[in-house]
Amino acid sequence: MSIPDTANDFRGRLAGGGELSGSQKLMILVLSMTLYGVGDLVCQIIPELEAGPFQIGVSYFAFIAVVLAALLNPFWVALGAPLGELVFADMLLGDFGGFGELEGFLQTALAIFVAGTLVRNPRSLKQLAVAPVVMVLIDKLTGAAVDILKVVVGIDPETLEDADGLYSALLFIEGSDIVITVILSGALFGALPAMWLAPRLYGKIEPIMGLRPRDPQNPPAMRGPWGVNIWVVGALVVLVAGAITMFAQWEEFVGREGIGTFGAFEPDYIDQFGDFYLWIAILIAAAVGFGALIVIKALRSRSAATVEPRSSDRA
């Protein structure tokens, strides 16, 4: 098989057996941005419990990303969901760290894509239970590896000080954080809602966007372009994410501003307007996201209506 044929096969598998139009890709992107971004804002309303060095709280609603990636194109959901977190959560709250945020974006995108491709059959409760846990594990393990590496090379001494200067204590804290996040975000707010939602939405949400439901016999492939193994792609993502955050941390450590803080936007609206601003941000994000989705849907319908008469004329 030639490289162009392989690339076409890759795109076809991503689309769940057919090519996606530009408007369909955009609708999936906007929908995942909106739902995941609003979900991230809601998570910030849920109070956290503090127990010593541990903060027990819901990091994110993993079920939103997993259900969308299980029903729709996982590639575009994986791009849209973390983008929604950056745009509708971080920037809307005035807490955007700039170019350094790309680390979290890459890690989350990889985690969602793998989780979405694990669900071959959206009616399989077993697959829906495993996918959110895998998503959280990939996201948290890659983040923990980068955090530990920053301490090892000595550009983030504050983290080590919080752990009483012991690497074993740091590893314990990172490991405990992973366990807590897997239980809360992966199982309680991931697997359980996904197992209830996905089978009920399967075959109902796809036709709205002009898509066929996922065929369990021909699911999206867990591989990158040209047949590259997804774990090779994942290793490259981790390396790039690590390089970005290491450079940003080094700039902060030496007391300079540069690429890592490029595009930073941090007025912190919650400090200015209070916690009530979270509800305002949720309404703004939902209105903007669903408004954009309605406009895209209307433009797609108008385009389809324009094409049909021309096709009939030619016939």
Side-chain angles (χ1 to χ4, degrees), residues 17-34:
E19 291 284 347
L20 289 176
S21 67
S23 60
Q24 288 172 329
K25 295 174 184 177
L26 195 55
M27 283 192 291
I28 296 173
L29 190 75
V30 172
L31 180 64
S32 55
M33 282 178 61
T34 303

Side-chain angles (χ1 to χ4, degrees), residues 222-294:
M222 191 187 295
R223 65 171 188 255
W226 304 292
V228 178
N229 189 292
I230 189 61
W231 301 116
V232 175
V233 177
L236 292 175
V237 166
V238 173
L239 288 175
V240 173
I244 291 171
T245 191
M246 292 282 286
F247 186 74
Q249 188 66 49
W250 174 79
E251 286 185 326
E252 181 180 347
F253 181 66
V254 299
R256 56 171 286 188
E257 294 185 359
I259 296 178
T261 56
F262 179 76
F265 179 71
E266 300 177 323
D268 202 340
Y269 293 132
I270 294 181
D271 283 348
Q272 295 184 38
F273 305 112
D275 292 338
F276 181 73
Y277 179 77
L278 276 170
W279 294 101
I280 298 176
I282 291 173
L283 293 176
I284 293 174
V288 171
F290 287 114
L293 196 62
I294 292 172

Side-chain angles (χ1 to χ4, degrees), residues 115-170:
T117 53
L118 281 176
V119 184
R120 301 173 62 87
N121 181 4
R123 289 195 178 101
S124 172
L125 297 184
K126 181 179 179 180
Q127 294 173 13
L128 291 168
V130 171
V133 175
V134 171
M135 172 188 163
V136 173
L137 282 173
I138 293 176
D139 183 33
K140 299 301 291 185
L141 285 173
T142 52
V146 173
D147 289 342
I148 292 172
L149 183 60
K150 288 189 296 185
V151 174
V152 171
V153 299
I155 60 174
D156 192 12
E158 292 183 2
T159 304
L160 194 58
E161 290 175 3
D162 292 339
D164 297 326
L166 297 175
Y167 285 105
S168 57
L170 174 62

Side-chain angles (χ1 to χ4, degrees), residues 52-94:
F54 307 112
Q55 288 186 335
I56 303 174
V58 183
S59 300
Y60 43 73
F61 291 138
F63 77 91
I64 295 176
V66 169
V67 169
L68 290 174
L71 299 176
L72 306 174
N73 184 294
F75 178 78
W76 292 101
V77 173
L79 289 182
L83 189 60
E85 180 182 357
L86 294 179
V87 175
F88 290 138
D90 296 348
M91 294 189 70
L92 198 56
L93 295 180

